[in-house]
Each structure stands twice: as structure tokens, then as C-alpha cells.
Amino acid sequence: MNILVLNCGSSSIKYQLLEMSTDPKLVAKGIVEKIGLPTSAFTHVPTGKDKVSMEIYIPNHTVGINLILKALINQEHGVISSLEEINAVGHRVAHGGEFFSESTLINSEVLKKIRLCSELAPLHNPANIKGIETIAEVLPKVPQAAVFDTSFHQSLPEKAYIYGIPYEYYENLSVRRYGFHGTSHKYVAEKACKILGWNINEKKIITCHLGNGSSIAAIDGGKSVDTSMGFTPVAGLVMGTRCGDLDAGALLYISEKENLSVQQANDFINKKSGIAGISGVTSDFRELHAAIGKGNERAKLALDVFCYNVKKYIGAYAAALNGVDLIILTGGIGENDFYVREQSCSGLEYLGVKFDAELNKTIRGVDRVISQTDSKTTVMTVTTNEELVIATDTMQLVLKK
Ligand code: AMP
């Protein structure tokens, strides 16, 4: 079964075509970037063939998706002979609000609810909807599924998702903690338990998804019970360009002093803060290490802040879970940055962590235990693959139909 996975962002579309079997295979992947800008571009990477890159004006998502479909059946760099070989399309959908606690096949009722959630994710859900509508137009017979960033965290207890503001803002405006990166947290927790031969229902797990966007989740018996992102993805850990937890009063103070509009304040906390804001040089961890190597002290401070935050959340979630059996590090940083892993997991001996610092230094982009064999709490790096989760969920929903 061939599943096309679409991740439509506000100005980009990432895609993967996967051939699903017991051993799923990536058939092609690529990205449409800078939609609506004169510099928009398209990159198509067919497995086993040369990569194709072109700068071409892509005014909207519909044109972008059509470009992707054409590339998939192109005589030279295509990977399938006709669009009929696409059996289903799985969409990453940013926000499912309180409507969706699991992935679902898309019908008009589901689409209506995704549309209702657009208020909660005004940049992302409308782009996801455009993707769904375009596929419905071009491939009307192909089933589509929605896999939500939020759904895994719908199991949070009320005490973990209610904010300390008047309750009617939850009732009337749906303001609460939702959490994001759900597909990744669920996937790495399940994958790690499979590798370790553990029953997830009996385990307490803390998953740290550390990438451009970062979040941590506390998972008890396979269910998310707390997570660091909130009503929006800006909460929790300090991230590449997002501020993470910030005293709301500080934002009001800065907004007043700098005379910021709501849009400007939004840009301030989402695009100008975090590692980029502290270091003043970059949001990218590889570049951050390079700057530290050249003696940049603010870059070092940014890294220290990041690692300290990760450690602090691990401690908080160990308290929430009343102990922890497994700590998982994933995402571009968690999978590759041994320094971050060591700093975030050092000083956790009180939690039963015996970290293997030497082994950790040699581990990059693989699934591996990085705690010592007699560590009461296991620490692991696990590679995430959100596209595979989307394709798997889509396939299962289509087969159940
Ligand atoms: P993601 O959003 O999961 O793709 O992660 C992106 C982040 O991972 C960026 O900050 C990258 O610099 C970081 N990253 C990727 N590879 C490495 C690496 N080998 N060492 C350190 N950081 C890395």
C-alpha cells in the first residue's frame, strides 16, 4: 500500500511517499518552500534517483500539491506510473482541540471540526485544510486521514491542563494546555518499550523531543499525563526561536516598553527569542557549538539555559509520575547532540540515573541505551519518525474501513 504523507505548514509542504509493508520503504520525499514568495522553491528526492531542485513561483498550497503529484509520476524522476498507485493520503494536522484523541479518517464532519480548531492554530490548521481540500479535488476517490499533533495529550488530567486563569476562559474560549509533538512522544515511547521488551502499560516514561521545537512529556502506562507545550507550542522548554516558559508579566512589560502590537509580541516570543535570542547568533545547535568553540560566551549561556531547562522538566515530571523507569531523548538535538544529553542527564543520580558518559559520546542517530547496565532508570536515544506514524495510522484506518 502506497501512502502519501503531507505536512502542510503556513508556507511550506513537506511530503513523503511510503510503501507500507512489514518493512516500510521511503519511495520519495521532498519539500515545497516559501509558498507565495518570489523565491519559492521545490525539491524532490526520489529514492534511488537524482534529487531534483527547482526555483519556481508557487503562489499557493494547491499549486504546490499539484507540483508534488506531477513529480511523483514524472517520466524521469517519478516513482510511480500513475496517481492511482497512491492508495491513501495521511495529513499531519496541527490542532485537533478536544475533538480528537486519536487519528481519524477524514469526512465532511471531521473537516468541519478541524476547521473549528483553526482559531486555536491559525497558521497551521488552515494550511492543513487546504492540503485536504486539494487532495479531495485531485484524487477524489483516495481516502484521507488526519493525524493530530495534539491528540496523544488528550489523556492529560484536568489538573495538568487547566491554567490559573478564570475558568470561563476554558469554557468559552477553550484556553487550556493542549500539548504538541504527540505523534513523536507516542512513537518513541512505544518503540523504546518494544526494543527493551517492556510492557508500556507498566512503565513510567519521560520523553524529551529536542529539536527546533522542543517539548517533554510524562507518560504513565502509555498515556500522556503532562507535557511542556501548552495552549500554543511556545510554552515549556527554551527552543530555537521560541521563548518557552516566560512570566506573562514580563511579556506585558516588554510590550508596553517597546510599544508592541499583538502580532509583534507574537513574533517576539515565537521568532526572536529562545536560543537565537539569548545567543544573538543562531537557533541551530550545530552553529551554536561552533560559536562556543570560538569563545562566544552568550552561545555557551544559551546552551546552559537549554540543558538546565530539560533537566528541570525531567525532575518535575519524575515528581508528577512518582518515579521514572525510562528517559528518552529524541529529535535532531536529542538524537545527535551528546553534550546536551550529558548535561541534561547529569546530576540525576537521585532519580536512579547512572549515565554512561563515555558511551554517550559515541552515539548519534541510533536507538541505544546510554545509561549504565545497573542504572535503575534507563536512559535511551531513540530516533523519531513522525511521517512513519502518520503513514501507519493512515494505513490502519484505511484497512479497518
Ligand atoms: P529537528 O527540528 O528535530 O530537525 O532538529 C533540528 C535541530 O537539531 C537543530 O538545532 C540542529 O542543529 C540540531 N542537530 C541536528 N543534527 C545535529 C548534530 N549532529 N549535532 C548537534 N545538533 C544537531
Side-chain angles (χ1 to χ4, degrees):
M1 181 182 273
N2 287 324
I3 310 258
L4 176 64
V5 174
L6 288 179
N7 179 358
C8 295
S10 55
S11 65
S12 70
I13 307 167
K14 292 191 196 120
Y15 66 95
Q16 286 193 4
L17 184 67
L18 290 140
E19 188 191 319
M20 301 301 287
S21 58
T22 39
D23 180 21
K25 286 191 181 56
L26 178 68
V27 182
K29 66 175 182 176
I31 184 165
V32 170
E33 289 173 281
K34 300 187 185 167
I35 293 171
L37 293 178
T39 50
S40 51
F42 175 48
T43 307
H44 173 66
V45 190
T47 304
K49 293 186 184 179
D50 288 341
K51 172 167 130 178
V52 184
S53 300
M54 56 181 97
E55 276 189 21
I56 170 173
Y57 180 56
I58 304 157
N60 55 47
H61 286 72
T62 307
V63 172
I65 288 175
N66 278 299
L67 204 60
I68 294 167
L69 296 175
K70 269 192 196 146
L72 291 173
I73 55 168
N74 183 283
Q75 285 213 319
E76 275 167 46
H77 49 259
V79 285
I80 47 177
S81 47
S82 104
L83 292 179
E84 282 174 19
E85 289 177 42
I86 298 175
N87 303 103
V89 178
H91 296 265
R92 177 183 191 170
V93 178
H95 219 304
E98 290 189 332
F99 292 119
F100 301 104
S101 55
E102 51 192 26
S103 306
T104 177
L105 283 173
I106 298 171
N107 56 28
S108 58
E109 204 45 44
V110 167
L111 193 56
K112 205 160 116 191
K113 287 177 178 157
I114 296 175
R115 207 167 262 129
L116 283 174
C117 295
S118 286
E119 286 233 328
L120 304 174
L123 286 182
H124 291 98
N125 272 34
N128 303 146
I129 292 165
K130 277 184 200 152
I132 294 165
E133 287 176 339
T134 304
I135 293 292
E137 232 174 84
V138 186
L139 304 171
K141 293 203 186 105
V142 175
Q144 302 192 68
V147 179
F148 302 92
D149 254 24
T150 49
S151 59
F152 180 55
H153 301 301
Q154 277 298 297
S155 49
L156 257 60
E158 229 176 352
K159 65 184 175 192
Y161 71 70
I162 287 295
Y163 286 132
I165 57 174
Y167 192 75
E168 55 264 33
Y169 287 87
Y170 166 58
E171 292 177 304
N172 301 335
L173 293 179
S174 308
V175 177
R176 52 159 282 181
R177 180 186 306 281
Y178 290 98
F180 298 85
H181 288 147
T183 43
S184 179
H185 289 292
K186 178 170 186 276
Y187 174 71
V188 295
E190 288 175 355
K191 187 181 183 189
C193 284
K194 213 177 263 173
I195 292 169
L196 295 167
W198 288 3
N199 178 356
I200 197 168
N201 299 326
E202 296 165 356
K203 298 295 175 187
K204 297 172 190 292
I205 302 173
I206 296 174
T207 46
C208 311
H209 178 108
L210 311 177
N212 265 329
S214 295
S215 67
I216 302 200
I219 300 174
D220 198 352
K223 295 210 172 353
S224 176
V225 294
D226 207 347
T227 191
S228 58
M229 284 179 167
F231 178 65
T232 74
V234 80
L237 298 171
V238 167
M239 303 174 220
T241 60
R242 296 186 189 126
C243 62
D245 292 337
L246 173 72
D247 178 349
L251 182 61
L252 295 178
Y253 177 77
I254 294 166
S255 298
E256 193 177 23
K257 286 281 175 200
E258 298 284 325
N259 209 9
L260 301 181
S261 65
V262 171
Q263 185 54 47
Q264 286 168 326
N266 190 46
D267 276 3
F268 178 80
I269 55 173
N270 277 291
K271 297 187 181 158
K272 299 191 172 152
S273 297
I275 298 299
I278 300 171
S279 72
V281 284
T282 183
S283 62
D284 185 285
F285 273 61
R286 279 166 293 196
E287 291 173 15
L288 195 70
H289 283 290
I292 294 168
K294 288 185 192 144
N296 186 320
E297 286 183 11
R298 288 239 311 271
K300 174 72 170 65
L301 175 63
L303 189 61
D304 287 348
V305 170
F306 183 83
C307 298
Y308 176 66
N309 265 269
V310 174
K311 189 198 293 208
K312 208 161 70 167
Y313 263 99
I314 291 174
Y317 286 172
L321 289 166
N322 186 19
V324 53
D325 299 303
L326 173 64
I327 299 169
I328 298 173
L329 297 137
T330 189
I333 299 161
E335 292 167 28
N336 295 295
D337 193 322
F338 68 83
Y339 181 85
V340 167
R341 290 195 300 250
E342 183 181 325
Q343 289 303 305
S344 309
C345 297
S346 67
L348 295 182
E349 290 79 12
Y350 75 99
L351 280 183
V353 173
K354 277 196 192 172
F355 194 69
D356 191 334
E358 283 313 307
L359 173 67
N360 174 52
K361 285 195 182 107
T362 66
I363 301 299
R364 176 166 291 180
V366 288
D367 305 322
R368 263 310 277 275
V369 171
I370 50 170
S371 49
Q372 297 177 27
T373 42
D374 61 342
S375 183
K376 191 169 130 309
T377 299
T378 303
V379 184
M380 245 186 120
T381 63
V382 178
T383 55
T384 193
N385 189 341
E386 290 167 276
E387 288 78 12
L388 182 61
V389 179
I390 296 169
T392 307
D393 279 13
T394 302
M395 179 180 70
Q396 283 168 354
L397 286 164
V398 169
L399 291 177
K400 256 201 294 190
K401 213 168 55 147

